[in-house]
Amino acid sequence: MVYEATASAPVNIAVIKYWGKRDTKLILPTNSSLSVTLDQDHLRSTTTSRADASFTKDRLWLNGKEEVIKEGGRLHTCIKELRAWRAEEEAKHPNLPKIAALKLHIASYNNFPTAAGLASSASGLAALVASLAALYELPQSRSDLSRIARQGSGSACRSLFGGFVAWREGHAKDGTDSLAEEVAPREHWPELQALICVVSDAKKGTSSTAGMQATVETSPLLQERLRVVPKRMLDISRAIEARDFDEFARITMADSNQFHAVCLDTTPPIFYLNDVSRAIIALVQELNRASEAAGNGLLAAYTFDAGPNAVIYAPAANMPAVIAAVDKYFPQANAFANPFQVEKAPLPAGFDESVVHGGWEKGAVKQLIHTQVGDGPRRLDDAESLLNAEGIPKTLA
Amino acid sequence: MVYEATASAPVNIAVIKYWGKRDTKLILPTNSSLSVTLDQDHLRSTTTSRADASFTKDRLWLNGKEEVIKEGGRLHTCIKELRAWRAEEEAKHPNLPKIAALKLHIASYNNFPTAAGLASSASGLAALVASLAALYELPQSRSDLSRIARQGSGSACRSLFGGFVAWREGHAKDGTDSLAEEVAPREHWPELQALICVVSDAKKGTSSTAGMQATVETSPLLQERLRVVPKRMLDISRAIEARDFDEFARITMADSNQFHAVCLDTTPPIFYLNDVSRAIIALVQELNRASEAAGNGLLAAYTFDAGPNAVIYAPAANMPAVIAAVDKYFPQANAFANPFQVEKAPLPAGFDESVVHGGWEKGAVKQLIHTQVGDGPRRLDDAESLLNAEGIPKTLA
C-alpha cells in the first residue's frame, strides 16, 4: 500500500496588500488583505507527499533540489501541525492506518520559472498543505488548513481558496482567528482576467520578509494605513459582490500605491517600482482616462507586489485593448503565449500617446502571462505523482 | 533722480518639506517646513526694480522675456501689497518722494539655467520682494516681507533669510502668522555644504502646485504626515542648534522619503524619483553604512524636491568622499565647477560596490553643483542694475 497524495495550488495576487506582521513567529498580520486567485491551468505549484515505513527521515525537494527542513522552521511547523492532526484522527479512529508516525518524502514543482519573479512561496506552501491534508485525509476545513499554510508563508493561506479570498487579520494571540475565507468563488465573476507583465530589474530587491518588518519598525505612515485598510476591505468586497469593476479598480490601484508609499516611508527606504513599472502605471492611467473621457468605465487596474512586475486586472472584454497597448509600448522579444486567442484591439479613441513614456527596448517587459481568476487547490491523479517508486523525485531519477 | 534698487536672493532647499496648502489663495501650508539657504555666490536670482514717472504701466522681464503681470495673480499681489506699504509710509512722512504712485519696471535674472531643473520661483520671488522693499525703503522686518513673498510662491518666504529657516504654518485665517523665521544664521554652521546632482528625466513631472493639492485631496497618509511634522520640526531645529549632523541627516532623509511617499499615495500617483534618483539614494546609504561600520558618523544626507534631482548635504570634511563616489558612479560629461578646490578622497573603507547600481552612462547625472549654506538677500550696487537708462533690460538693449 502506497500512502501518497498529489495536489496543485494556485498563485494569488493581492488587491489589498499584506505588509507587516504583528507576530513574526505565528505570522499574524498587521492588517487584513484580499486577493484574486489566478488560474492553475496557467500558473501552479504541484506537490506530492508520501508516507512510507522505509523512509528514514522527512525529506523535501523543491523543483528537484533538496531543501533542508529546519527544526522549528516554517516548513517544519506546517508538517508537524498537519501530522499532529492526523495523529488525533488515528487516536479517534483505531481502524485508520498508522501513517502519522511514518517519515515523509515531499516533492514540489512550480510550472513557472523562478526568474519570472512571481512569488512562488504562496502557491508552494498551499500545495504542500493541500497534498498533506489529502494524504492524511484530514477532516479540517479549508479555513482551518489556511491557518497552517499561513504559518508557512503568510499569503499562502489565501491560495487555499479559489476566486476572491480574504485573509482576516484576527485578534487572538494564538492566531486561531487569522485565516482565509472565500469572499466569492471564481464562478461569481469569471470574466475577470489578469495580465502579468514580468519586468526586468538589475537591482536586487529587499526580501518581503525583511522589508515588511522594517516598515513596521520605522514607518510613521503605516499607522494611518492600518486605519485605512478596514474600510477598503469592506468597499472592495462590496465591489466584488456587485461585479463593479470601476470601484474594484480604483481601490486596487490606490492600495498598491499606498503599499509602495509605506515602503518608501521606511528607513532605509524600500523601492520595488522602477522606471518600467512607472511607465506601466502611466500607460494604464492613460487607457483609463481615455476610456472615461469617451463615457466608458475604467479599462484596467494595475497592482504591484514586492517587485517591479505589474499585474493588470481587467474584464475579458477589455483585455484586447490592454494587451495591444502593453505590446505596443513594451515590445516583446518572443510572441507571448495567448491562451485566450485574444485578437488585439485598437487603443481607445482619444488615447494621448504623448503622456506615455515610450522608447522602451525589447526586454524591458520580458514576458507577458495572460490568465484569469481561478479555482482553489486540486487533488490530482496518482499518475501526476512527482515521486518514483523509491520515493525520489522522478526528475532526478 | 532715479528711484531704483537691485537685490539678489538665494535658493533654499527644504529638509522638512512643504507639500500641501490649506488656503490656495493666501498660500497657507498644511504644515511647517524648514530649509537650508544656499550660497548666492553660486546660485541666485537678481532683480532690479525701478519706479519712474515716464513709465506707463507695470512691466516685468524674467531672464529677458517679458511676463504678463496678471490682475489678481501672484506677482500682482506681491507688488500691490509692497506698494501699499510704501503709500502708508508716504502718508506718514510727507517729505518722502511720492513713488508709490509711479509705475514700475522690474527685471529679474537667474544665474542658473532653467534646464537645471532647480526651482527658481523661490529665489526669484524673494529677489523681487527684496528689491521692491529696498526701492521703497520699507521699515518692515524680513519676517513681514516673508509674508508677502509667501503669497508669490510659498517656499519663497524661506529665501528671505540666510542660514537655517523655518516657515511657520501659522493658524490665523488671514495668514498673518504664516511666515519665515531664522532658526540659525549661516555662521552658526558654516561647514554645511551641498552637492546638487542634476538628474536627467525624460518624463515631464507633475507641477508642484497641482501635485500638492492632489495629495491634499486624495492621500489618506497625508493626515499622518501632518501629525508627524511638528516633532520633526523641533528635532531638526535642535540638531541644527547642536550642529549634530547625524541627527540632521536622519531627519532630512526620512522627511524626503515621506514627502515622496505621500506623493505615491496620491490618486493618480505622483512620481518624482526615477531610477537614477534611486541609485543616488542607494549610493548615499552605502556611504553612510560603511562610515558607521567603521565607527564614524553618517557621511551625507540626500533630499529630493518635486523632481529627480538630488541635493546631498554633508559637512565640508565629508564632501571629498561624497564627490568621489558620485563622480565614480555617475561619470560627468564635463569637469564640474569646483569652487572649493576639493581633492577627491577615497571611498570609505568597507564600501560595498555590489549594492550600488552601477553602469550609468555619462549624462545620467548631467551636472554637479557644489555649494554651501549661504546668507539672505543682498542689496546690490547700482552698477549691478539690470535696467538701462530707458528702463529696459540691458540684455535686450
Side-chain angles (χ1 to χ4, degrees), chain A residues 33-87:
Chain A
S33 53
L34 196 146
S35 57
V36 179
T37 295
L38 301 185
D39 195 336
Q40 283 165 88
D41 286 350
H42 308 130
L43 299 169
R44 66 179 166 277
S45 296
T46 304
T47 302
T48 298
S49 295
R50 186 186 299 171
D52 196 278
S54 71
F55 297 161
T56 55
K57 61 169 188 166
D58 291 340
R59 295 177 71 181
L60 183 144
W61 292 264
L62 179 57
N63 291 327
K65 188 175 165 293
E66 185 161 8
E67 304 280 324
V68 178
I69 304 175
K70 237 189 350 200
E71 174 80 27
R74 293 173 172 198
L75 278 171
H76 185 261
T77 301
C78 289
I79 296 168
K80 190 180 69 177
E81 301 231 358
L82 295 168
R83 186 176 258 147
W85 281 353
R86 170 69 186 187

Side-chain angles (χ1 to χ4, degrees), chain A residues 224 227 265 274-275 278, chain B residues 224 227 258 274-275 278:
Chain A
E224 185 68 18
R227 285 186 282 267
D265 188 49
N274 64 20
D275 284 356
R278 290 166 67 198
Chain B
E224 185 68 19
R227 285 186 282 268
Q258 187 167 89
N274 64 18
D275 285 355
R278 289 166 69 199

Side-chain angles (χ1 to χ4, degrees), chain A residues 71 79 92 96 177 203 205 210 218 225 274 282 303 344 366:
Chain A
E71 174 80 27
I79 296 168
K92 275 189 272 183
L96 279 178
D177 58 351
K203 178 173 170 277
T218 67
R225 169 159 175 73
N274 64 20
T303 188
K344 285 180 205 162
K366 61 184 173 186

